[in-house]
Amino acid sequence: MRSFRQATVYFASGTGNSYLVGAWFRDAAEARGIPAVLTPVARADPRRDIAAAPDELVVLAFPTHGGLPPWSVIKFLLRMPRRKGAGFLCLPTRGSFFVGPLLVPGAAILASFLPPFILAFKGYRPLGAVSFDMPANITSVHPPLTSRHAGRVVARARAKFDRSMDRFFGKGRVWLTRNNAYEAIWSLAVLRFIPLFPLLYLVLGRFFMGKVMFANDRCTGCGICAAACPAGALVMVGRNVPRPYWRYNCEHCLRCLNYCPHQAIGASLPWAAFLWWLGSAAALAAAVFSHLTALVPGLEAWRGYWTVELVNSLVYYPVFIAAYALFHVLNRIKFLNVVLSRTSPSFFLGQYRAPGTALPQLTGRTDASRPHTSTTGDG
Ligand code: SF4
Ligand code: SF4
């Protein structure tokens, strides 16, 4: 049986799915007599946490964002100290749901392989990767799964987790599995046909999806969302009733949206449509400009791709940035806030929280409560 001196289990989690997987691992290690500590990435200090010994085990549970780990997790991996011979186990989660009796699986894609690849350069021994289907939770664009539905998905993931850990601790195969073959096929397909997709998703998550979120008139200015944000991306702005303002380091983890006690946070679909339109208008203007250069003697050399990109950069990006400031100001006007709020489905769709989890567990700000690992919580 595989044995370790201690297991350091890190997790990055917006709504609790990856937290649950990390907590399952912590419990599984302790049940086998291995001391384990569960820590959110946002509060981790790996130089202190991970001893320089070959019988150390480091585990990382995190959500998949467009086929990659979230940017904060990639940065965390790059900052990890060198630890020669320490074991590393990668546990990405991916969104899924049932259609009737059939589970529609997600795909972790490169998120299964990138962390072990990075840490191998720092001396760690990659021991395996297992991805888990957890309840789909992008509640800014789709309704949350009902608690019963989410409970079914989590129960299935838990059964897979138990099987995988029996194999892992029993020195069985954790790399050469059907699950990793599935992720490898996805990875090859993405790299072959849409290689820019993972990168675009990271950029979009940061510069677009967080920029269409806002708080409506139900917001009491309590500041819970800002205090709970793992990226420190929310600042409270305003005097009488301060409201959250989304900065560019928002990773679209959706913790704020799903944990606001007044369900006052949502994503404005009309504003998202406006931003797309703005992008199309700028692209059209850039293309027209590029073609017009052909008509002006001496400017023909300017016609082409880079002119389009240049005009786009000079026009679209500044306007895009200014548009968000405008969005924030408009949202301070009660009438417009109500209009944007009533036309944004996410305010009516409900919230998602991984079954049996609570905010203090995700923020790591309490050690008093052991995490629940129930599969039938209230979502
Ligand atoms: S959006 Fe919600 S959590 Fe954030 S300050 Fe307003 S009421 Fe509090
Ligand atoms: S602002 Fe909200 S969605 Fe963005 S990283 Fe913070 S908690 Fe997550």
Side-chain angles (χ1 to χ4, degrees):
M1 179 173 143
R2 258 195 190 114
S3 186
F4 302 93
R5 194 180 70 85
Q6 70 163 11
T8 303
V9 186
Y10 292 126
F11 70 93
S13 187
T15 58
N17 284 341
S18 298
Y19 164 81
L20 272 185
V21 173
W24 293 342
F25 189 90
R26 192 268 314 271
D27 294 347
E30 288 184 346
R32 290 164 174 87
I34 301 167
V37 180
L38 181 65
T39 309
V41 161
R43 294 169 67 84
D45 180 357
R47 280 178 202 286
R48 183 200 59 200
D49 302 338
I50 309 165
D55 52 356
E56 286 282 308
L57 175 64
V58 179
V59 179
L60 181 60
F62 60 91
T64 304
H65 284 189
L68 285 175
W71 178 236
S72 59
V73 171
I74 296 176
K75 278 196 303 187
F76 176 70
L77 288 162
L78 294 173
R79 279 201 323 268
M80 289 271 280
R82 292 189 66 78
R83 290 289 184 263
K84 197 162 167 41
F88 175 68
L89 179 64
C90 183
L91 304 177
T93 58
R94 51 197 202 191
S96 71
F97 52 91
F98 275 101
V99 175
L102 288 180
L103 182 97
V104 179
I109 315 179
L110 297 165
S112 285
F113 308 116
L114 186 66
F117 182 76
I118 293 175
L119 290 188
F121 284 100
K122 291 174 178 264
Y124 294 76
R125 273 179 304 135
L127 297 176
V130 193
S131 48
F132 293 96
D133 286 311
M134 295 297 273
N137 62 354
I138 309 182
T139 47
S140 53
V141 293
H142 67 71
L145 304 191
T146 63
S147 53
R148 193 159 164 268
H149 191 158
R152 277 177 74 198
V153 178
V154 171
R156 202 170 183 281
R158 177 67 209 235
K160 176 179 173 180
F161 176 87
D162 289 340
R163 286 194 305 274
S164 309
M165 290 309 113
D166 284 345
R167 266 205 314 272
F168 175 70
F169 286 107
K171 286 196 175 176
R173 284 178 306 162
V174 190
W175 274 120
L176 295 174
T177 58
R178 258 187 312 176
N179 183 71
N180 284 344
Y182 168 83
E183 299 295 4
I185 291 168
W186 265 106
S187 299
L188 292 174
V190 166
L191 290 174
R192 171 70 183 83
F193 297 110
I194 40 173
L196 285 182
F197 169 74
L199 211 58
L200 276 179
Y201 192 97
L202 279 189
V203 174
L204 270 185
R206 178 151 297 208
F207 294 103
F208 184 75
M209 285 144 105
K211 290 293 156 195
V212 298
M213 287 165 72
F214 70 105
N216 73 2
D217 55 349
R218 289 185 221 145
C219 173
T220 61
C222 67
I224 289 175
C225 51
C229 171
L234 285 179
V235 282
M236 301 299 292
V237 179
R239 284 210 190 99
N240 296 337
V241 181
R243 292 216 177 134
Y245 178 87
W246 278 257
R247 297 193 294 187
Y248 280 103
N249 51 340
C250 167
E251 297 217 297
H252 203 241
C253 75
L254 295 176
R255 184 183 292 174
C256 52
L257 188 151
N258 288 292
Y259 274 95
C260 169
H262 302 285
Q263 209 183 326
I265 295 179
S268 172
L269 294 189
W271 190 257
F274 170 70
L275 290 180
W276 274 117
W277 173 84
L278 204 62
S280 313
L284 185 66
V288 169
F289 178 81
S290 165
H291 278 82
L292 286 180
T293 54
L295 305 176
V296 183
L299 285 184
E300 298 92 339
W302 282 83
R303 182 173 174 176
Y305 174 81
W306 289 110
T307 300
V308 173
E309 277 307 301
L310 183 71
V311 175
N312 236 340
S313 314
L314 291 177
V315 177
Y316 181 58
Y317 302 122
V319 171
F320 187 84
I321 290 166
Y324 181 59
L326 178 69
F327 181 54
H328 188 76
V329 171
L330 293 179
N331 262 305
R332 302 294 301 183
I333 301 169
K334 195 170 170 49
F335 169 72
L336 291 175
N337 185 274
V338 170
V339 170
L340 285 169
S341 172
R342 301 295 179 267
T343 51
S344 302
S346 47
F347 286 102
F348 311 105
L349 294 178
Q351 294 172 311
Y352 171 77
R353 298 167 190 175
T357 62
L359 195 53
Q361 295 164 338
L362 307 190
T363 58
R365 294 205 172 104
T366 175
D367 295 327
S369 60
R370 295 291 284 179
H372 301 274
T373 51
S374 140
T375 57
T376 55
D378 62 4

